[in-house]
Amino acid sequence: MAAPCRNARALVTCVLRCSSCHVRTRWEAPRQPCAVLLQQGVKSPYRTYSTPSILQVTDAEEEQRPLKPPNMVAWYPTDDVYHIRYYPWNPISLEECFQQMRRAAELEFRKPDIWVQISLQLDMKLEKKKKVEPFVGSVHLPHTITEPKKILVFATESDDVEDAKKCGAHIVGGLELIQEILQDKLDFDYCVSVPNLIPDLQVLKKKLQKKFPKKKRNTVGHDIPFMVDLWSRGQKYSALTYNHPKQEGKGHVNVIIGRLDMTDEQLTKNIDCMIKAVCTYKPLSFGPFVTRAMMHAKGTPSYKFHVEPFLPEEPKDDELK
C-alpha cells in the first residue's frame, strides 16, 4: 500500500476518490503515492457501491428490541462494575438503601451514629403561572432525634401563660420582653406568639429575622400547647427554589430524618412522616408534590429510593360522602 498523502488538499481528494490510502476496495492499490498521481493527472479508480452494514437487522427484530433511555447504553447494567454515566440512575427500595449506606459508612470508617439526610425534589407549579412559594415548617417525628429547643412565648392572658408553662416553654411574658430581646439578654431558639400581640412586635422584626413569629410557620395562633410542642421537639424543614432557568418551577427540601444506628423501621416512619408533612403545602389535585427522593449520610454516596409509597392519596368519592 502506498504511503498516506501529506498534502492537505491532496488528502481530501484522496479520501474521496482513492482506494490506496484510507478505503479498502476490490481494486489493487497503485504503486505510487496519491499526491504523485494527482500531479500527473492520472485518475485512480474509486468505489461506486456503498459499504454493507455490519449487522443486518430485520423489522421484526427491531420491534422486539427493548427501548433504552436516551444517550444511555441500557436500563440496567449486566455486571457489578460499570460506568455510571452510561446507565440511568434507577431508584431502589429503602431496605437496600439502608444496607448499602451502612456498608459504605463502614468502609469509610464512619461512626455508626452519623446523621441521615433526605433530599426531596418538588414540583412547585400550580395552575397557569402560579407557583408554591418557598416555605418553612416543623413536624413532630415519631422518633425524635434532637434535644428539646428553647421556646419563647408572647402571651398576656393568664390562661395562655399557664398553658405555656405547663407545656415546657422556656420564657413566657408579654411586651416587657421586647427591651430584653433588643439588648440580647434572652437566649431562645424559636419564638411563638398569640395573634393580638403581633402588631406590637413589629419592632423586633429586624432583630429576630427568621425567628419572628409568622402564621405560615405555625408560630402564631391560639393553640399554644401545640405550637410549643411542635417547635421544641419537632424537626424543622425548609423548601427552596432553584435560580437556574432550566430548573424553573422546581424546588428542593434537604432535612435530617435520623441517625444511621437507628433501625430500618424507625427511619422509615420518620421518612413517611416528613414526606407527608411536606406534601401538605400543595393541593393533591395538581399532581404529586414530591417527584424524586434521595438519601445519604456523611461520607456515603446518595441513594435514590421509591417515593410513591409515601405520597398521600387523594380521598375517593365514597370517603367524602
Side-chain angles (χ1 to χ4, degrees), residues 33-299:
C34 304
V36 178
L37 295 175
L38 290 173
Q39 291 176 0
Q40 296 176 358
V42 179
K43 294 183 179 181
S44 59
Y46 58 91
R47 189 173 57 192
T48 58
Y49 61 91
S50 60
T51 57
S53 60
I54 299 175
L55 183 62
Q56 297 290 341
V57 181
T58 61
D59 296 339
E61 294 176 352
E62 186 70 26
E63 292 179 358
Q64 293 179 358
R65 283 185 175 182
L67 296 176
K68 63 179 182 179
N71 303 325
M72 298 290 177
V73 176
W75 283 105
Y76 298 96
T78 57
D79 197 359
D80 56 350
V81 179
Y82 56 91
H83 283 283
I84 298 178
R85 60 180 179 177
Y86 295 144
Y87 299 90
W89 193 8
N90 298 303
I92 57 179
S93 62
L94 266 182
E95 290 139 0
E96 193 174 354
C97 283
F98 297 144
Q99 183 181 0
Q100 293 186 13
M101 198 158 42
R102 291 190 178 100
R103 179 59 178 165
E106 183 181 355
L107 295 175
E108 291 288 339
F109 300 100
R110 299 289 180 178
K111 295 182 179 180
D113 59 344
I114 56 178
W115 295 111
V116 177
Q117 181 177 348
I118 62 172
S119 301
L120 307 176
Q121 184 172 342
L122 310 177
D123 183 12
M124 311 284 280
K125 294 181 180 179
L126 295 174
E127 57 182 2
K128 296 182 179 179
K129 295 184 179 181
K130 295 183 180 180
K131 300 177 184 178
V132 178
E133 297 296 331
F135 54 87
V136 178
S138 178
V139 60
H140 202 307
L141 297 176
H143 302 278
T144 57
I145 56 178
T146 57
E147 297 180 356
K149 306 292 192 306
K150 297 179 180 179
I151 307 298
L152 184 146
V153 179
F154 282 104
T156 54
E157 297 182 5
S158 58
D159 295 339
D160 296 337
V161 173
E162 290 179 4
D163 292 342
K165 290 181 179 180
K166 288 180 181 179
C167 296
H170 187 64
I171 304 171
V172 183
L175 301 178
E176 67 275 4
L177 300 177
I178 296 178
Q179 194 63 28
E180 297 183 14
I181 294 174
L182 293 174
Q183 296 176 2
D184 296 330
K185 292 183 179 181
L186 300 179
D187 182 22
F188 58 93
D189 297 315
Y190 297 106
C191 182
V192 174
S193 174
V194 291
N196 56 353
L197 296 180
I198 293 298
D200 299 329
L201 298 179
Q202 296 297 323
V203 186
L204 301 174
K205 202 163 188 179
K206 291 185 179 180
K207 183 69 176 178
L208 297 178
Q209 295 182 0
K210 293 183 179 180
K211 293 182 181 180
F212 188 80
K214 289 185 178 181
K215 193 173 182 180
K216 292 183 178 179
R217 299 181 182 178
N218 289 328
T219 53
V220 177
H222 296 283
D223 194 354
I224 293 179
F226 168 76
M227 294 187 296
V228 172
D229 182 65
L230 180 65
W231 288 97
S232 63
R233 300 182 181 275
Q235 181 64 22
K236 181 182 176 182
Y237 59 89
S238 59
L240 304 175
T241 56
Y242 296 99
N243 295 326
H244 200 276
K246 291 185 178 180
Q247 300 290 341
E248 187 179 1
K250 296 181 180 180
H252 61 94
V253 172
N254 300 325
V255 61
I256 296 174
I257 51 90
R259 297 181 183 272
L260 196 57
D261 57 353
M262 298 173 64
T263 62
D264 294 356
E265 185 180 358
Q266 292 175 344
L267 291 173
T268 303
K269 288 182 178 179
N270 286 354
I271 291 173
D272 181 53
C273 181
M274 181 60 67
I275 293 178
K276 283 183 170 55
V278 172
C279 290
T280 57
Y281 288 86
K282 181 179 179 180
L284 297 177
S285 58
F286 293 101
F289 193 24
V290 181
T291 57
R292 190 177 68 176
M294 295 174 291
M295 179 196 312
H296 76 279
K298 186 177 181 181

